[in-house]
Coordinates of all heavy atoms in Angstrom, one line a residue:
M1 N 0.9 -1.2 0.0 CA 0.0 0.0 0.0 C 0.9 1.2 0.0 O 1.8 1.3 0.8 CB -0.8 0.0 1.2 CG -2.0 0.9 1.2 SD -3.1 0.9 2.7 CE -4.2 -0.4 2.3
T2 N 0.7 2.1 -0.9 CA 1.5 3.3 -1.0 C 1.1 4.3 0.1 O 0.0 4.1 0.7 CB 1.3 4.0 -2.3 OG1 -0.1 4.5 -2.4 CG2 1.6 3.2 -3.5
T3 N 1.8 5.3 0.4 CA 1.6 6.3 1.4 C 0.2 7.0 1.1 O -0.6 7.2 2.0 CB 2.6 7.3 1.6 OG1 3.9 6.6 1.7 CG2 2.5 8.2 2.7
T4 N 0.0 7.3 -0.1 CA -1.3 8.0 -0.5 C -2.5 7.1 -0.3 O -3.4 7.5 0.3 CB -1.2 8.4 -2.0 OG1 0.0 9.2 -2.1 CG2 -2.4 9.3 -2.4
N5 N -2.3 5.9 -0.7 CA -3.4 4.9 -0.5 C -3.7 4.7 0.9 O -4.9 4.7 1.4 CB -3.1 3.6 -1.2 CG -3.3 3.6 -2.7 OD1 -3.9 4.5 -3.2 ND2 -2.8 2.6 -3.4
R6 N -2.7 4.6 1.7 CA -2.9 4.5 3.2 C -3.5 5.6 3.8 O -4.4 5.4 4.6 CB -1.5 4.2 3.8 CG -1.6 3.7 5.2 CD -0.2 3.3 5.8 NE 0.4 2.4 5.0 CZ 1.7 2.4 4.7 NH1 2.5 3.4 5.2 NH2 2.3 1.6 3.9
R7 N -3.2 6.8 3.4 CA -3.8 8.1 3.9 C -5.3 8.1 3.5 O -6.1 8.4 4.4 CB -3.1 9.3 3.3 CG -3.5 10.6 4.1 CD -2.7 11.8 3.6 NE -1.2 11.5 3.8 CZ -0.3 11.9 2.9 NH1 -0.7 12.5 1.8 NH2 1.0 11.7 3.1
V8 N -5.5 7.7 2.3 CA -6.9 7.8 1.8 C -7.8 6.7 2.6 O -8.9 7.0 3.1 CB -7.1 7.5 0.3 CG1 -8.5 7.2 -0.1 CG2 -6.5 8.6 -0.5
F9 N -7.1 5.6 2.7 CA -7.8 4.5 3.6 C -8.1 4.9 5.0 O -9.2 4.8 5.5 CB -7.0 3.3 3.6 CG -7.5 2.1 4.4 CD1 -8.5 1.4 4.1 CD2 -6.9 1.9 5.7 CE1 -9.0 0.3 4.8 CE2 -7.4 0.9 6.5 CZ -8.5 0.1 6.1
M10 N -7.2 5.6 5.7 CA -7.3 6.0 7.0 C -8.4 7.1 7.1 O -9.2 7.1 8.0 CB -6.0 6.6 7.5 CG -4.9 5.6 7.8 SD -5.5 4.2 8.7 CE -5.4 4.9 10.4
M11 N -8.5 8.0 6.1 CA -9.5 9.0 6.1 C -10.9 8.4 5.9 O -11.8 8.9 6.5 CB -9.2 10.1 4.9 CG -8.0 11.0 5.3 SD -7.5 12.0 3.9 CE -9.0 12.9 3.6
Q12 N -10.9 7.4 5.1 CA -12.3 6.7 4.9 C -12.7 6.0 6.2 O -13.9 6.1 6.5 CB -12.1 5.8 3.7 CG -12.1 6.4 2.3 CD -11.8 5.4 1.2 OE1 -11.3 4.3 1.5 NE2 -12.2 5.8 0.0
L13 N -11.7 5.4 6.7 CA -12.0 4.7 8.1 C -12.5 5.7 9.1 O -13.5 5.5 9.8 CB -10.7 4.0 8.5 CG -10.8 3.0 9.6 CD1 -11.6 1.8 9.1 CD2 -9.5 2.6 10.1
A14 N -11.9 6.9 9.2 CA -12.3 7.8 10.2 C -13.7 8.5 9.8 O -14.5 8.6 10.8 CB -11.3 9.0 10.2
A15 N -13.9 8.7 8.5 CA -15.3 9.2 8.2 C -16.3 8.1 8.5 O -17.4 8.5 9.0 CB -15.2 9.5 6.7
G16 N -16.0 6.9 8.2 CA -17.0 5.8 8.5 C -17.2 5.7 10.0 O -18.5 5.6 10.4
S17 N -16.2 5.8 10.9 CA -16.4 5.7 12.3 C -17.3 6.9 12.8 O -18.1 6.8 13.7 CB -15.1 5.8 13.0 OG -14.3 4.7 12.6
A18 N -17.0 8.1 12.3 CA -17.7 9.3 12.6 C -19.2 9.2 12.3 O -20.1 9.5 13.1 CB -17.1 10.6 12.0
L19 N -19.4 8.5 11.1 CA -20.8 8.4 10.7 C -21.6 7.4 11.6 O -22.7 7.7 11.9 CB -20.8 7.9 9.2 CG -22.0 8.1 8.3 CD1 -22.3 9.6 8.2 CD2 -21.9 7.4 7.0
M20 N -20.9 6.3 11.9 CA -21.5 5.4 12.8 C -21.8 5.9 14.1 O -22.9 5.6 14.7 CB -20.6 4.1 12.9 CG -20.6 3.2 11.7 SD -19.5 1.9 11.7 CE -19.8 1.0 13.2
A21 N -20.8 6.6 14.6 CA -21.1 7.3 16.0 C -22.2 8.3 16.0 O -23.0 8.3 16.9 CB -19.8 8.0 16.5
A22 N -22.3 9.1 14.8 CA -23.5 10.0 14.7 C -24.8 9.3 14.6 O -25.8 9.6 15.2 CB -23.3 10.8 13.5
S23 N -24.8 8.1 13.9 CA -26.1 7.4 13.8 C -26.5 6.8 15.1 O -27.7 6.7 15.5 CB -26.2 6.5 12.6 OG -25.2 5.6 12.7
A24 N -25.5 6.3 15.9 CA -25.8 5.7 17.2 C -26.2 6.7 18.1 O -27.3 6.5 18.9 CB -24.5 5.0 17.7
A25 N -25.7 7.9 18.0 CA -26.2 9.0 19.0 C -27.6 9.4 18.6 O -28.5 9.6 19.5 CB -25.3 10.1 18.8
Q26 N -27.9 9.4 17.3 CA -29.3 9.8 16.9 C -30.3 8.7 17.3 O -31.4 9.1 17.8 CB -29.3 9.9 15.3 CG -30.6 10.5 14.8 CD -30.5 10.6 13.3 OE1 -29.7 9.9 12.6 NE2 -31.4 11.5 12.8
A27 N -29.9 7.4 17.3 CA -30.8 6.4 17.6 C -31.1 6.4 19.1 O -32.2 6.0 19.5 CB -30.2 5.0 17.2
Q28 N -30.2 7.0 19.9 CA -30.4 7.0 21.3 C -30.8 8.4 21.9 O -30.8 8.6 23.0 CB -29.0 6.6 22.0 CG -28.8 5.1 21.8 CD -27.4 4.7 22.3 OE1 -26.6 5.5 22.7 NE2 -27.1 3.5 22.3
A29 N -31.1 9.3 20.9 CA -31.5 10.7 21.3 C -32.8 10.6 22.2 O -33.7 9.8 22.0 CB -31.8 11.4 20.1
K30 N -32.7 11.4 23.2 CA -33.8 11.4 24.2 C -34.8 12.5 23.8 O -34.4 13.6 23.3 CB -33.3 11.7 25.6 CG -32.5 10.5 26.0 CD -31.8 10.7 27.4 CE -31.0 9.5 27.8 NZ -30.1 9.7 28.8
L31 N -36.1 12.2 24.0 CA -37.1 13.2 23.7 C -37.0 14.4 24.6 O -36.8 14.2 25.8 CB -38.5 12.5 23.8 CG -39.7 13.3 23.7 CD1 -39.8 13.8 22.2 CD2 -41.0 12.6 24.1
D32 N -37.3 15.6 24.0 CA -37.2 16.8 24.8 C -38.7 17.1 25.3 O -39.5 17.0 24.4 CB -36.7 17.9 23.9 CG -36.5 19.2 24.6 OD1 -37.2 19.5 25.6 OD2 -35.7 20.1 24.2
E33 N -38.9 17.3 26.5 CA -40.3 17.6 27.0 C -40.8 18.8 26.2 O -42.1 19.0 26.2 CB -40.2 18.0 28.5 CG -40.0 16.8 29.3 CD -40.1 17.1 30.9 OE1 -40.1 18.3 31.2 OE2 -40.1 16.2 31.7
N34 N -40.0 19.7 25.8 CA -40.5 21.0 25.1 C -40.7 20.7 23.6 O -41.1 21.6 22.8 CB -39.5 22.1 25.3 CG -39.4 22.4 26.7 OD1 -40.4 22.4 27.5 ND2 -38.2 22.6 27.3
D35 N -40.4 19.5 23.1 CA -40.6 19.1 21.7 C -42.1 19.4 21.5 O -43.0 18.8 22.3 CB -40.2 17.7 21.5 CG -40.4 17.2 20.0 OD1 -41.5 17.2 19.5 OD2 -39.4 16.7 19.5
P36 N -42.6 20.0 20.4 CA -44.0 20.3 20.2 C -44.9 19.0 20.2 O -46.0 19.1 20.7 CB -44.0 20.9 18.8 CG -42.6 21.5 18.6 CD -41.7 20.7 19.4
Q37 N -44.3 17.9 19.7 CA -45.0 16.6 19.7 C -45.2 16.2 21.2 O -46.3 15.6 21.5 CB -44.2 15.6 19.0 CG -44.9 15.0 17.8 CD -44.1 13.9 17.1 OE1 -42.9 14.2 16.8 NE2 -44.6 12.7 17.1
A38 N -44.2 16.3 22.0 CA -44.3 15.9 23.4 C -45.3 16.8 24.2 O -46.1 16.3 24.9 CB -42.9 16.1 24.1
V39 N -45.2 18.1 23.9 CA -46.1 19.0 24.6 C -47.5 18.8 24.2 O -48.4 18.8 25.1 CB -45.8 20.5 24.1 CG1 -46.8 21.5 24.6 CG2 -44.4 20.9 24.7
A40 N -47.8 18.4 22.9 CA -49.1 18.1 22.4 C -49.9 16.9 23.2 O -51.0 16.9 23.3 CB -49.1 17.7 20.9
V41 N -49.0 16.0 23.7 CA -49.6 14.9 24.5 C -49.3 15.0 25.9 O -49.5 14.0 26.7 CB -49.2 13.5 23.9 CG1 -49.8 13.2 22.5 CG2 -47.6 13.4 23.7
G42 N -48.7 16.1 26.4 CA -48.5 16.3 27.8 C -47.3 15.4 28.4 O -47.3 15.1 29.6
Y43 N -46.4 15.1 27.5 CA -45.3 14.2 27.9 C -44.5 14.8 29.0 O -44.1 16.1 28.9 CB -44.5 13.7 26.8 CG -43.2 13.0 27.2 CD1 -43.3 11.7 27.5 CD2 -42.0 13.7 27.4 CE1 -42.2 10.9 28.0 CE2 -40.9 13.0 27.9 CZ -41.0 11.6 28.1 OH -39.9 11.0 28.7
K44 N -44.1 14.1 30.1 CA -43.2 14.5 31.1 C -42.2 13.4 31.3 O -42.6 12.2 31.4 CB -43.9 14.9 32.4 CG -44.7 16.1 32.4 CD -43.9 17.3 32.3 CE -44.8 18.6 32.1 NZ -44.1 19.7 31.6
H45 N -40.9 13.7 31.6 CA -40.0 12.6 31.9 C -40.2 11.9 33.3 O -39.9 10.8 33.5 CB -38.5 13.2 32.1 CG -38.0 13.8 30.7 ND1 -38.1 13.1 29.6 CD2 -37.2 14.8 30.5 CE1 -37.5 13.8 28.6 NE2 -37.0 14.9 29.2
D46 N -41.0 12.7 34.1 CA -41.3 12.2 35.5 C -42.8 12.2 35.6 O -43.4 13.3 35.7 CB -40.6 13.1 36.5 CG -40.9 12.7 37.9 OD1 -41.8 11.9 38.1 OD2 -40.3 13.2 38.8
S47 N -43.4 11.1 35.7 CA -44.9 10.9 35.8 C -45.5 11.7 36.9 O -46.7 12.2 36.9 CB -45.2 9.4 35.9 OG -46.6 9.2 35.9
T48 N -44.7 11.9 38.0 CA -45.2 12.7 39.2 C -45.3 14.1 38.9 O -45.9 14.9 39.7 CB -44.4 12.4 40.4 OG1 -43.0 13.0 40.2 CG2 -44.1 11.0 40.8
K49 N -44.8 14.6 37.8 CA -44.8 16.0 37.4 C -45.9 16.4 36.5 O -46.0 17.5 36.0 CB -43.4 16.5 36.9 CG -42.3 16.1 37.7 CD -41.9 17.4 38.6 CE -40.9 17.1 39.7 NZ -39.6 16.6 39.4
V50 N -46.7 15.4 36.2 CA -47.8 15.7 35.2 C -48.8 16.6 35.8 O -49.2 16.6 37.0 CB -48.4 14.3 34.8 CG1 -49.7 14.6 33.9 CG2 -47.5 13.5 34.0
D51 N -49.3 17.6 35.0 CA -50.3 18.5 35.4 C -51.7 17.8 35.7 O -52.3 17.4 34.7 CB -50.5 19.5 34.3 CG -51.4 20.7 34.6 OD1 -52.2 20.6 35.6 OD2 -51.4 21.7 33.9
A52 N -51.9 17.7 37.0 CA -53.2 17.0 37.4 C -54.5 17.7 37.0 O -55.4 17.0 36.7 CB -53.1 16.8 38.9
K53 N -54.4 19.0 36.9 CA -55.6 19.7 36.4 C -55.9 19.6 35.0 O -57.1 19.3 34.5 CB -55.4 21.3 36.7 CG -55.6 21.6 38.1 CD -55.4 23.1 38.3 CE -55.5 23.4 39.7 NZ -54.9 24.7 40.0
K54 N -54.9 19.5 34.2 CA -55.0 19.3 32.7 C -55.3 17.8 32.4 O -56.0 17.5 31.4 CB -53.7 19.7 32.0 CG -54.0 20.0 30.6 CD -52.7 20.7 30.1 CE -52.8 20.9 28.5 NZ -51.6 21.3 27.9
Y55 N -54.8 16.9 33.2 CA -55.0 15.4 33.0 C -55.5 14.8 34.3 O -54.8 14.0 35.0 CB -53.6 14.8 32.6 CG -53.1 15.4 31.3 CD1 -52.0 16.3 31.3 CD2 -53.6 15.2 30.0 CE1 -51.5 16.9 30.2 CE2 -53.1 15.7 28.9 CZ -52.1 16.6 28.9 OH -51.6 17.2 27.8
P56 N -56.8 15.0 34.6 CA -57.4 14.5 35.8 C -57.4 13.0 35.9 O -57.4 12.5 37.1 CB -58.8 15.1 35.9 CG -59.0 15.5 34.5 CD -57.8 15.8 33.8
K57 N -57.4 12.3 34.8 CA -57.4 10.9 34.9 C -56.0 10.2 35.0 O -55.9 9.0 35.2 CB -58.0 10.3 33.6 CG -59.5 10.5 33.5 CD -60.1 9.9 32.3 CE -61.6 10.2 32.2 NZ -62.2 9.8 30.9
H58 N -55.0 11.0 35.0 CA -53.6 10.6 35.2 C -53.4 10.0 36.6 O -53.9 10.6 37.6 CB -52.6 11.7 34.9 CG -51.2 11.3 35.4 ND1 -50.7 11.8 36.6 CD2 -50.2 10.5 34.9 CE1 -49.5 11.4 36.8 NE2 -49.2 10.6 35.8
D59 N -52.7 9.0 36.7 CA -52.4 8.4 38.1 C -50.8 8.2 38.1 O -50.2 7.8 37.1 CB -53.1 7.0 38.1 CG -52.8 6.2 39.4 OD1 -51.7 6.3 39.9 OD2 -53.7 5.6 39.8
K60 N -50.3 8.6 39.2 CA -48.8 8.5 39.3 C -48.2 7.1 39.1 O -47.0 7.0 38.8 CB -48.4 9.1 40.7 CG -48.6 10.6 40.7 CD -48.3 11.2 42.0 CE -48.5 12.7 42.1 NZ -48.7 13.3 43.3
A61 N -49.0 6.1 39.3 CA -48.4 4.7 39.0 C -48.3 4.5 37.5 O -47.7 3.5 37.1 CB -49.4 3.8 39.7
Q62 N -48.9 5.3 36.7 CA -48.9 5.2 35.2 C -47.5 5.7 34.8 O -47.3 6.9 35.0 CB -50.0 5.9 34.5 CG -51.4 5.4 34.9 CD -52.5 6.3 34.3 OE1 -52.3 7.4 33.8 NE2 -53.7 5.8 34.3
K63 N -46.7 4.9 34.2 CA -45.4 5.3 33.7 C -45.2 4.6 32.4 O -45.8 3.6 32.1 CB -44.3 4.8 34.7 CG -44.4 5.6 36.1 CD -43.4 5.0 36.9 CE -43.5 5.7 38.4 NZ -42.6 5.2 39.3
C64 N -44.2 5.2 31.7 CA -43.9 4.7 30.3 C -43.5 3.2 30.5 O -43.9 2.4 29.6 CB -42.8 5.4 29.7 SG -43.3 7.1 29.1
N65 N -42.8 2.9 31.5 CA -42.3 1.5 31.7 C -43.3 0.5 31.9 O -43.1 -0.7 32.0 CB -41.0 1.4 32.6 CG -41.4 1.7 33.9 OD1 -42.5 1.8 34.3 ND2 -40.3 1.9 34.8
N66 N -44.6 0.9 32.2 CA -45.7 -0.1 32.3 C -46.7 0.3 31.3 O -48.0 -0.1 31.5 CB -46.3 -0.2 33.7 CG -46.8 1.1 34.3 OD1 -47.3 1.9 33.6 ND2 -46.6 1.2 35.7
C67 N -46.4 1.0 30.2 CA -47.3 1.4 29.1 C -47.2 0.3 28.0 O -46.0 -0.1 27.8 CB -47.0 2.8 28.6 SG -47.8 3.2 27.1
Q68 N -48.2 0.0 27.3 CA -48.2 -1.0 26.2 C -47.3 -0.5 25.1 O -46.7 -1.4 24.4 CB -49.6 -1.1 25.7 CG -50.0 -2.5 25.5 CD -51.6 -2.6 25.4 OE1 -52.2 -1.7 25.0 NE2 -52.1 -3.8 25.7
L69 N -47.1 0.7 24.9 CA -46.3 1.2 23.8 C -44.9 1.2 24.1 O -44.0 1.4 23.2 CB -46.8 2.6 23.3 CG -48.3 2.6 22.8 CD1 -48.7 4.0 22.5 CD2 -48.5 1.7 21.7
Y70 N -44.4 1.1 25.3 CA -43.0 1.2 25.6 C -42.2 0.1 25.1 O -42.6 -1.0 25.2 CB -42.8 1.2 27.2 CG -41.5 1.6 27.7 CD1 -40.9 2.8 27.5 CD2 -40.7 0.7 28.5 CE1 -39.7 3.2 28.0 CE2 -39.5 1.1 29.0 CZ -39.0 2.4 28.7 OH -37.8 2.7 29.3
Q71 N -41.1 0.4 24.4 CA -40.3 -0.6 23.7 C -39.1 -1.1 24.5 O -38.4 -2.0 24.1 CB -39.9 -0.1 22.3 CG -41.2 0.1 21.4 CD -40.8 0.8 20.1 OE1 -39.8 1.5 20.0 NE2 -41.6 0.5 19.2
G72 N -38.8 -0.5 25.7 CA -37.7 -0.9 26.5 C -38.3 -2.0 27.4 O -39.4 -2.3 27.4
K73 N -37.3 -2.4 28.3 CA -37.7 -3.4 29.2 C -38.2 -2.6 30.5 O -37.9 -1.4 30.6 CB -36.4 -4.2 29.7 CG -36.1 -5.3 28.8 CD -34.9 -6.1 29.3 CE -33.6 -5.7 28.5 NZ -32.4 -5.8 29.2
A74 N -39.0 -3.2 31.3 CA -39.6 -2.4 32.4 C -38.6 -1.9 33.3 O -38.8 -0.8 34.0 CB -40.4 -3.4 33.2
T75 N -37.3 -2.4 33.4 CA -36.3 -1.9 34.2 C -35.4 -0.9 33.5 O -34.5 -0.3 34.1 CB -35.4 -3.0 34.6 OG1 -35.0 -3.8 33.5 CG2 -36.1 -3.9 35.6
D76 N -35.6 -0.6 32.2 CA -34.8 0.3 31.4 C -35.1 1.8 31.8 O -36.3 2.1 31.9 CB -35.0 0.1 29.9 CG -34.4 -1.1 29.4 OD1 -33.6 -1.8 30.1 OD2 -34.6 -1.5 28.3
A77 N -34.1 2.6 32.0 CA -34.4 4.0 32.3 C -35.0 4.8 31.1 O -35.7 5.7 31.3 CB -33.0 4.7 32.8
W78 N -34.6 4.4 29.9 CA -35.1 5.0 28.7 C -35.4 3.9 27.7 O -34.7 2.9 27.6 CB -34.0 5.9 28.1 CG -33.7 7.1 29.0 CD1 -32.8 7.1 30.0 CD2 -34.4 8.4 28.9 NE1 -32.8 8.4 30.6 CE2 -33.7 9.2 30.0 CE3 -35.3 9.0 28.1 CZ2 -34.1 10.5 30.2 CZ3 -35.6 10.3 28.3 CH2 -35.1 11.1 29.3
G79 N -36.4 4.2 26.9 CA -36.7 3.2 25.8 C -37.5 3.9 24.7 O -38.0 5.0 24.9
G80 N -37.7 3.1 23.7 CA -38.4 3.7 22.6 C -39.9 3.8 22.7 O -40.5 3.1 23.6
C81 N -40.5 4.7 22.0 CA -42.0 4.8 22.0 C -42.4 5.1 20.5 O -41.8 6.1 20.0 CB -42.5 5.8 22.9 SG -44.3 6.1 22.8
P82 N -43.3 4.4 19.9 CA -43.7 4.6 18.5 C -44.2 6.0 18.2 O -44.1 6.5 17.2 CB -44.7 3.6 18.1 CG -45.0 2.9 19.4 CD -43.9 3.2 20.4
L83 N -44.6 6.7 19.3 CA -45.2 8.0 19.2 C -44.2 9.0 18.9 O -44.4 10.0 18.2 CB -45.9 8.4 20.5 CG -47.3 8.6 20.6 CD1 -48.1 7.5 20.1 CD2 -47.7 9.0 22.0
F84 N -42.9 8.7 19.2 CA -41.8 9.7 19.1 C -40.7 9.2 18.2 O -39.6 9.7 18.3 CB -41.4 10.2 20.4 CG -42.5 10.7 21.2 CD1 -42.9 10.0 22.3 CD2 -43.0 12.0 20.9 CE1 -43.9 10.5 23.2 CE2 -44.1 12.4 21.7 CZ -44.5 11.7 22.8
G85 N -41.0 8.2 17.2 CA -40.0 7.8 16.3 C -38.7 7.2 16.9 O -38.8 6.4 17.8
A86 N -37.6 7.9 16.6 CA -36.3 7.4 17.1 C -35.9 7.8 18.5 O -35.0 7.5 19.0 CB -35.2 7.7 16.1
K87 N -36.7 8.9 18.9 CA -36.3 9.4 20.2 C -36.9 8.5 21.4 O -37.9 7.9 21.3 CB -36.9 10.9 20.3 CG -36.3 11.7 19.4 CD -36.6 13.2 19.6 CE -35.9 14.0 18.6 NZ -36.7 15.2 18.2
Q88 N -36.1 8.5 22.4 CA -36.4 7.7 23.6 C -37.2 8.5 24.6 O -37.0 9.6 24.8 CB -35.1 7.1 24.2 CG -34.4 6.2 23.2 CD -33.5 5.2 23.9 OE1 -32.8 5.6 24.8 NE2 -33.5 4.0 23.5
V89 N -38.1 7.8 25.3 CA -38.7 8.4 26.4 C -38.3 7.8 27.7 O -37.7 6.7 27.7 CB -40.3 8.2 26.2 CG1 -40.8 8.8 25.0 CG2 -40.7 6.6 26.3
A90 N -38.5 8.5 28.8 CA -38.0 8.0 30.2 C -39.0 6.9 30.7 O -40.2 7.0 30.5 CB -38.0 9.2 31.1
G91 N -38.4 5.9 31.3 CA -39.2 4.8 31.8 C -40.2 5.3 32.9 O -41.2 4.8 33.1
A92 N -39.7 6.4 33.6 CA -40.5 7.0 34.6 C -41.5 8.1 34.0 O -42.2 8.7 34.8 CB -39.7 7.6 35.7
G93 N -41.5 8.2 32.7 CA -42.3 9.3 32.1 C -43.7 8.9 31.9 O -44.2 7.9 32.3
W94 N -44.4 9.8 31.3 CA -45.9 9.6 31.0 C -46.3 10.6 29.9 O -45.8 11.7 29.7 CB -46.6 9.8 32.3 CG -48.1 9.7 32.1 CD1 -48.8 8.5 32.4 CD2 -49.1 10.7 31.7 NE1 -50.2 8.6 32.1 CE2 -50.4 9.9 31.8 CE3 -49.2 11.9 31.4 CZ2 -51.6 10.6 31.4 CZ3 -50.3 12.6 31.1 CH2 -51.6 11.9 31.1
C95 N -47.4 10.2 29.2 CA -48.0 11.1 28.2 C -49.5 10.6 28.2 O -49.9 9.6 28.7 CB -47.4 11.1 26.9 SG -48.0 9.8 25.7
S96 N -50.3 11.5 27.6 CA -51.8 11.2 27.6 C -52.2 10.1 26.7 O -53.4 9.7 26.8 CB -52.5 12.5 27.2 OG -52.1 12.9 25.9
A97 N -51.3 9.5 25.9 CA -51.6 8.3 25.2 C -51.3 7.0 25.9 O -51.4 5.9 25.4 CB -50.8 8.4 23.8
Y98 N -51.0 7.1 27.2 CA -50.7 6.0 28.1 C -51.8 5.0 28.0 O -53.0 5.2 28.0 CB -50.6 6.4 29.6 CG -50.4 5.3 30.5 CD1 -49.2 4.7 30.7 CD2 -51.5 4.7 31.1 CE1 -49.0 3.7 31.6 CE2 -51.4 3.6 31.9 CZ -50.1 3.1 32.2 OH -50.0 2.0 33.0
A99 N -51.4 3.7 27.8 CA -52.2 2.5 27.8 C -51.6 1.4 28.6 O -50.5 1.0 28.3 CB -52.5 2.0 26.4
K100 N -52.3 1.1 29.7 CA -51.7 0.1 30.6 C -51.3 -1.2 29.9 O -52.1 -1.8 29.2 CB -52.7 -0.2 31.8 CG -52.1 -1.0 32.9 CD -53.1 -1.2 34.0 CE -52.6 -2.1 35.1 NZ -51.4 -1.9 35.7
K101 N -50.1 -1.7 30.2 CA -49.7 -3.0 29.6 C -50.5 -4.1 30.2 O -50.8 -4.2 31.3 CB -48.2 -3.1 30.0 CG -47.5 -4.3 29.2 CD -46.0 -4.3 29.5 CE -45.2 -3.6 28.5 NZ -43.8 -3.6 28.7
A102 N -51.0 -5.0 29.3 CA -51.8 -6.1 29.7 C -51.0 -7.1 30.5 O -49.9 -7.3 30.4 CB -52.4 -6.8 28.5
Ligands
SF4_1 FE1 -44.8 6.7 27.5 FE2 -46.8 5.2 26.6 FE3 -46.9 7.9 26.3 FE4 -45.2 6.4 24.8 S1 -47.4 6.3 24.8 S2 -44.7 8.3 25.9 S3 -44.6 4.8 26.4 S4 -46.9 6.8 28.2

């Protein structure tokens, strides 16, 4: 391998690693409570902080990690939710689309 070829190879390797790191970070991005989609369904990272006046049927025992839509394990601090695409929701979180896991 010539010096030029080696340099090009190393640059390609570095670019590929940076791309993989960026996509991994994106896959694990956490949902922002202020995201308009999160605000629209009253999402909070902490179920105990949900506005009781706005959501009178909310119960503090209702959490993402016991919601039917939660894609993480019950013990995971963060997990996926189809409502928010690739962004993760907190296991202790809640939103008005909550549906108790059967
Ligand atoms: Fe959490 Fe369920 Fe709302 Fe998704 S739908 S944010 S898992 S409560």
Side-chain angles (χ1 to χ4, degrees):
M1 197 180 271
T2 65
T3 307
T4 306
N5 281 348
R6 194 174 305 135
R7 192 175 303 138
V8 168
F9 173 74
M10 292 307 283
M11 284 169 64
Q12 286 172 337
L13 194 66
S17 299
L19 201 65
M20 281 171 60
S23 58
Q26 191 179 18
Q28 294 171 351
K30 292 173 181 165
L31 176 66
D32 185 335
E33 285 183 350
N34 298 317
D35 181 305
Q37 239 182 305
V39 172
V41 290
Y43 172 82
K44 292 287 177 200
H45 291 318
D46 181 348
S47 182
T48 64
K49 303 267 166 64
V50 171
D51 184 344
K53 283 184 186 154
K54 200 169 175 186
Y55 300 103
K57 289 183 179 171
H58 166 259
D59 181 320
K60 288 176 183 160
Q62 298 174 347
K63 294 178 181 171
C64 291
N65 64 13
N66 60 32
C67 171
Q68 226 161 27
L69 298 177
Y70 192 59
Q71 295 173 332
K73 285 184 255 149
T75 51
D76 288 347
W78 293 86
C81 172
L83 245 54
F84 303 108
K87 292 189 181 152
Q88 295 201 319
V89 297
W94 182 88
C95 89
S96 60
Y98 174 86
K100 189 174 171 56
K101 194 177 258 178

